[in-house]
Amino acid sequence: MAGAAGVLPVLLEACGNSSSSSSGSGASGTLSLWDGEVGTGQLNTEAKKLVTAYKDGNLTGGYELLTGNIYEVIEAALAANKGPTVAGGYAYQAFQFADQGDIHYADNVVATMQKNGQYADYLPGLFPQMKTSKGYVGIPWGVDTRALWYNKSLLAKAGVGVPTDWASFLAAAKALKKIGVYGYVTAAASSNSAYGTHTLAAFMINNGGGMFDEQGNADCMYDRNVEAVEYLLELVKGGYVDPGSASYVDTDVYTELKNGKAGMALANPTIPQECGTDPVHGDLVVMSPVKGPHGDVGTIQYLKNYQMYTKTPSIAGSEKFMIWWNELFAGKKGFFAQGITAAVPVRKSVIALPEIQADPQLVKIIKEWVPVAKPESARYPHIFSGLATVDNGTAMVQCIQSILGGKTTATAALQTLQNGIQNYGASYKA
């Protein structure tokens, strides 16, 4: 809604001192926000200032920056009868903790947002992804979309056009090899394998596949997945993939791209900034979604969200706190306008901000990639808690590492994946 952009300055001013109206329950205590590092960490710094200044009657705000495995940190805290009031972090954690009975469903918050117009300000299809049979497990605030990027100077030097499908992607990789540049680079070190496992999932989805079937059962041997892995193996065996990829971490990808050693990569929306280049005038450019051999398009995307927990001094206070916090991402002085989220905005009023429109790569991702992106559940229409175990888990890491090693077959690599995730489909309960 157009009005949403104007709300934030008022809220920031009010909550930077004290809230003008309490939740009315007379409850007292701390409403704690726990979050992992967001973007460069500047958001965490700003968040701590705002949250610790929050006051709603006798309720005050507390903030904790999480490090290490966020699942484990929150789970350990909950087991000790502690834990957050509201938390961010991994895309699937709300579903995991909902299974365990630790989530306060956000249906009242969603109803409020539907009444005040905030709900209609979101891109379509996001809130339904957060809904389970028991209710909304959280509120979305952004997406982390994996898109294909290319170095425009290297493609020009190689005399090849921007890929539009798998055939032209392979042709571009071959042309880059002729000028001494790897066509593709990723990272699949066991300690930091996200780009590698995302490559695996993204190419499956790009081919109309995915790790789970339409009923939510693990279905790695699906013929579209086999085709996708055979294509990745063709890239590897042709010598078009940087051989260091199997042991690289994400910063190695940035280095290879920055130094012109590799020409294409699947990466997050802030890859130019990570590589120290300018998203407007620099060499790294996001391509349009490429078509698979059957004409499919798609990629993997993570729906960033905040969720409320049952351990709270006040349910009403939690819900008010959640709405307040979520609104801090919007507006002319919000976190997105400051460029500190490292995520793709999902509210129309935010997307319209001049700070967002000034980044042509981000605008292209919003217009072309977000509409075709899916979570790792892919062919199944809902997100489920098992994805918290599957995502970037051991089975995915082993699968992509074997592919990048080039000494496996598509069916062997996918059987490893199938064996590792078959118990974590839609029927799994954390």
Side-chain angles (χ1 to χ4, degrees), residues 121-142:
D121 191 35
Y122 282 75
L123 296 176
L126 299 180
F127 273 93
Q129 292 183 35
M130 299 303 302
K131 191 171 185 179
T132 69
S133 60
K134 294 183 178 179
Y136 292 94
V137 297
I139 300 297
W141 64 267

Side-chain angles (χ1 to χ4, degrees), residues 209-265:
M211 292 183 283
F212 298 91
D213 66 17
E214 290 77 2
Q215 288 71 48
N217 301 309
D219 188 25
C220 299
M221 307 308 292
Y222 183 47
D223 57 356
R224 295 296 186 90
N225 297 335
V226 175
E227 278 186 336
V229 173
E230 287 176 340
Y231 180 74
L232 292 175
L233 282 168
E234 184 177 5
L235 291 171
V236 171
K237 293 178 178 178
Y240 312 127
V241 177
D242 189 328
S245 294
S247 59
Y248 280 167
V249 298
D250 51 10
T251 52
D252 294 318
V253 172
Y254 306 148
T255 298
E256 294 297 281
L257 291 172
K258 183 178 180 179
N259 293 335
K261 301 294 186 183
M264 298 185 288

Side-chain angles (χ1 to χ4, degrees), residues 5-46:
V7 173
L8 180 65
V10 176
L11 285 171
L12 284 173
E13 183 178 352
C15 296
N17 297 296
S18 63
S19 179
S20 59
S21 62
S22 73
S23 294
S25 64
S28 62
T30 301
L31 302 169
S32 58
L33 174 64
W34 291 17
D35 206 354
E37 184 174 279
V38 181
T40 62
Q42 184 182 347
L43 193 152
N44 300 98
T45 301
E46 297 297 321

Side-chain angles (χ1 to χ4, degrees), residues 290-310:
V290 299
K291 290 184 179 180
H294 305 279
D296 299 281
V297 293
T299 188
I300 189 170
Q301 176 172 274
Y302 296 88
L303 184 55
K304 292 179 171 290
N305 64 88
Y306 285 98
Q307 63 276 179
M308 296 179 288
Y309 288 77
T310 56

